[in-house]
Amino acid sequence: MHRNVTSPNLSVGSDLVSPGSAWKGSQPRLLFTARAWGKTMKVELFPPDPETEPRHWVRHDQAFAMMLRPGSIEWGSKRSSLEKFHYSAGDLALCDRHVGEWVGLVNVTHLQLGISDAALMACSDGAYGEVELRASRKFADPRLSAMVGAAHAEMVAGFPSGRLFLDSVEQAMAVTLVNGHAVRHRPLQFSRGGLNSARLRRIKELVHAKMDGDLGLEEMAQSVGLSTAHFARMFRKSMGETPHQFVLRQRIERAKAMLRAPDARVLDVALACGFKTQQHFAQVFRDVWGVSPTEYRQELVGSEATGASETYSEDSPLVVISD
């Protein structure tokens, strides 16, 4: 388990160095830091570390890791008494906050995630301060591993789905961690009803107003005065889908309307509907409708609508649209 790295913006980098590192270990090959609306989730990929000298490690945010391949890590509360833990792919380790421990040879590729206090607090109704989780150097949780797998796949793809997707994954992770590993928390309280019509209308207006931006779960929840966890539960109860699924569906509906214009380029449609790349837009559109955006328009208005103004194809090289 490694150091804490923070950044004020969305970023993907390599071999990043933090002057505030808890100890000098291997550096992450990939780092994504999402900071939005006062909450921060970090996703870091670490290769095996050839360093054999024990290092003292301490982390003050709530972090856990999933092993991506079989391997081992040496842990211990004392430098002189390290214990080797053997892991299989998918095994997890949950850090103990604020408590220093010694780490020796790290012979496993792993993904490390830092869950924000805001996400943990939102899952602990009535709690205040920090949510205390039980540390464990090795445990299995198929649901949590599946969520980490989704975050890893998003990282490998270059985070095309934006902040809302990661907000949703972080909130789901926080619920699982609080329910299964909290030392002190109040049980989650579920409301029998969903969002009322006024709140649903406000959410729909917000989604349409920020269709071309990177809308986050926290922003949606704040617009109706609810915590992120409570909002996500209430929204799904009302709409039968998650906020992320709803926003994605609204973006595709707008894209369909825009594609009816014969002079609209697929790139322009992708940007206007909040997609960061042409490739991701085409992939999502095909997943929903079974055809590419170009094929959809050909079926809708005929081949004349895809003339000289349209030069993109799904086989074209990836073009990244930066914020």
Side-chain angles (χ1 to χ4, degrees):
M1 306 289 285
H2 294 72
R3 56 184 172 74
N4 184 11
V5 182
T6 60
S7 170
N9 300 304
L10 302 182
S11 61
V12 178
S14 61
D15 293 337
L16 302 182
V17 179
S18 168
S21 299
W23 55 271
K24 302 299 182 182
S26 66
Q27 298 172 16
R29 288 179 177 170
L30 292 174
L31 166 67
F32 175 77
T33 302
R35 173 169 296 181
W37 304 97
K39 57 188 290 188
T40 304
M41 174 177 165
K42 289 173 288 294
V43 184
E44 300 164 275
L45 178 63
F46 288 90
D49 181 5
E51 176 66 43
T52 58
E53 186 70 17
R55 290 84 73 196
H56 191 255
W57 172 84
V58 60
R59 186 158 179 164
H60 297 292
D61 63 343
Q62 185 59 68
F64 73 101
M66 186 178 82
M67 313 306 157
L68 300 181
R69 297 182 180 87
S72 62
I73 299 178
E74 294 177 341
W75 302 84
S77 56
K78 297 181 180 179
R79 181 190 178 98
S80 58
S81 57
L82 300 182
E83 180 181 358
K84 179 181 287 188
F85 288 79
H86 295 275
Y87 298 96
S88 300
D91 283 346
L92 301 161
L94 182 59
C95 306
D96 196 347
R97 300 178 70 173
H98 314 306
V99 178
E101 55 188 340
W102 290 90
V103 180
L105 179 64
V106 179
N107 189 26
V108 61
T109 300
H110 61 281
L111 196 71
Q112 185 169 305
L113 300 98
I115 305 298
S116 67
D117 282 318
L120 293 168
M121 291 281 292
C123 302
S124 304
D125 294 346
Y128 57 91
E130 292 182 351
V131 177
E132 183 180 352
L133 302 181
R134 252 186 331 272
S136 175
R137 290 171 180 165
K138 180 180 178 180
F139 69 100
D141 187 321
R143 292 177 303 167
L144 192 57
S145 294
M147 297 172 200
V148 179
H152 183 217
E154 182 74 359
M155 166 185 272
V156 171
F159 301 98
S161 300
R163 188 174 65 197
L164 180 57
F165 175 80
L166 283 181
D167 282 353
S168 302
V169 172
E170 180 188 31
Q171 199 60 61
M173 289 178 181
V175 170
T176 303
L177 288 169
V178 168
N179 281 343
H181 301 275
V183 177
R184 292 189 300 269
H185 79 285
R186 295 185 181 181
L188 291 172
Q189 300 174 359
F190 294 91
S191 172
R192 294 183 179 180
L195 297 173
N196 59 35
S197 58
R199 280 176 162 168
L200 285 175
R201 183 171 59 254
R202 200 172 309 153
I203 289 298
K204 292 176 182 178
E205 290 172 351
L206 176 64
V207 170
H208 284 279
K210 304 200 70 172
M211 187 74 72
D212 59 348
D214 196 5
L215 181 62
L217 185 64
E218 182 76 5
E219 184 177 1
M220 296 175 71
Q222 286 184 348
S223 71
V224 292
L226 298 174
S227 70
T228 51
H230 188 55
F231 167 73
R233 295 194 301 268
M234 299 285 279
F235 187 93
R236 185 158 193 167
K237 188 181 291 290
S238 300
M239 304 297 293
E241 59 186 347
T242 66
H244 177 253
Q245 291 168 334
F246 173 78
V247 171
L248 205 59
R249 186 164 55 83
Q250 296 301 308
R251 286 176 171 170
I252 293 299
E253 288 300 317
R254 173 176 285 189
K256 286 168 54 185
M258 293 183 66
L259 287 170
R260 292 189 177 97
D263 58 344
R265 298 191 310 151
V266 171
L267 171 59
D268 295 333
V269 173
L271 286 172
C273 296
F275 292 93
K276 296 183 183 299
T277 69
Q278 299 175 39
Q279 188 181 55
H280 185 229
F281 169 56
Q283 175 189 333
V284 173
F285 196 97
R286 186 184 291 275
D287 289 343
V288 173
W289 285 101
V291 296
S292 71
T294 302
E295 291 167 339
Y296 172 82
R297 185 160 58 188
Q298 287 174 338
E299 293 177 359
L300 186 68
V301 298
S303 59
E304 290 184 359
T306 57
S309 63
E310 181 55 72
T311 59
Y312 165 75
S313 71
E314 280 65 45
D315 295 327
S316 299
L318 175 64
V319 178
V320 178
I321 312 302
S322 60
D323 292 337

